[in-house]
Amino acid sequence: MSIYSLAAELGKAIKEDERMIRMEKAKEAYESNEKIGNLIMEYGIQQQALTTMGDSTEIDTEALTRIQDRIDEIYEEITKDPLFIELDEAQKEVNELMETVNNTIMFNATGATPSCTHDCSTCGGCH
């Protein structure tokens, strides 16, 4: 079996992993939520307004403060939404999975774990 065939099989196995399935479901729920979509759109508009005002020769500090305050409010509202929290947690799990897979591949290819600190208390078990 070629390296590419093995990589394709690994990709399929990762796609079927419960952590990847959880992340895909969380991503779909997050991206299809109308409230979050509207907040993201407003966030972008506010960011553009802030950039445009910052490029101006006359700076209205009060308006800049209002825009920045609104940006901060939107950011907080998005990041405290349960859909965002679920997506963030699921993404972290997938990132950990991918790091472990990559470390396993590197260990088997080179004999050393890329993140090995030689302190076994920090290790997920390479040797």
Side-chain angles (χ1 to χ4, degrees):
M1 198 176 245
S2 76
I3 291 173
Y4 302 109
S5 297
L6 291 169
E9 289 301 312
L10 177 59
K12 289 174 188 174
I14 290 171
K15 185 176 183 176
E16 294 173 4
D17 185 271
E18 66 186 40
R19 291 160 285 196
M20 184 63 81
I21 293 168
R22 175 186 177 202
M23 190 199 67
E24 288 299 322
K25 286 180 181 178
K27 181 179 177 185
E28 184 179 324
Y30 176 82
E31 289 178 350
S32 66
N33 184 275
E34 186 177 345
K35 176 186 166 196
I36 290 174
N38 290 337
L39 287 168
I40 291 170
M41 186 177 0
E42 183 185 352
Y43 185 88
I45 291 167
Q46 295 291 344
Q47 285 282 1
Q48 184 60 44
L50 191 64
T51 301
T52 301
M53 289 185 75
D55 292 342
S56 176
T57 55
E58 294 181 26
I59 297 179
D60 181 348
T61 55
E62 187 176 310
L64 281 173
T65 300
R66 281 195 312 271
I67 292 171
Q68 186 59 58
D69 288 347
R70 181 60 186 147
I71 288 171
D72 294 344
E73 288 171 9
I74 295 168
Y75 178 82
E76 185 173 341
E77 192 170 345
I78 291 171
T79 58
K80 287 188 175 181
D81 189 284
L83 292 173
F84 176 86
I85 292 168
E86 170 63 13
L87 177 58
D88 187 51
E89 290 173 1
Q91 181 64 58
K92 286 176 184 172
E93 283 188 3
V94 168
N95 290 346
E96 289 172 8
L97 169 66
M98 297 305 292
E99 183 178 351
T100 301
V101 167
N102 287 332
N103 286 342
T104 302
I105 292 169
M106 289 305 297
F107 174 72
N108 284 281
T110 66
T113 303
S115 60
C116 185
T117 63
H118 302 288
D119 174 5
C120 292
S121 68
T122 65
C123 185
C126 63
H127 31 244

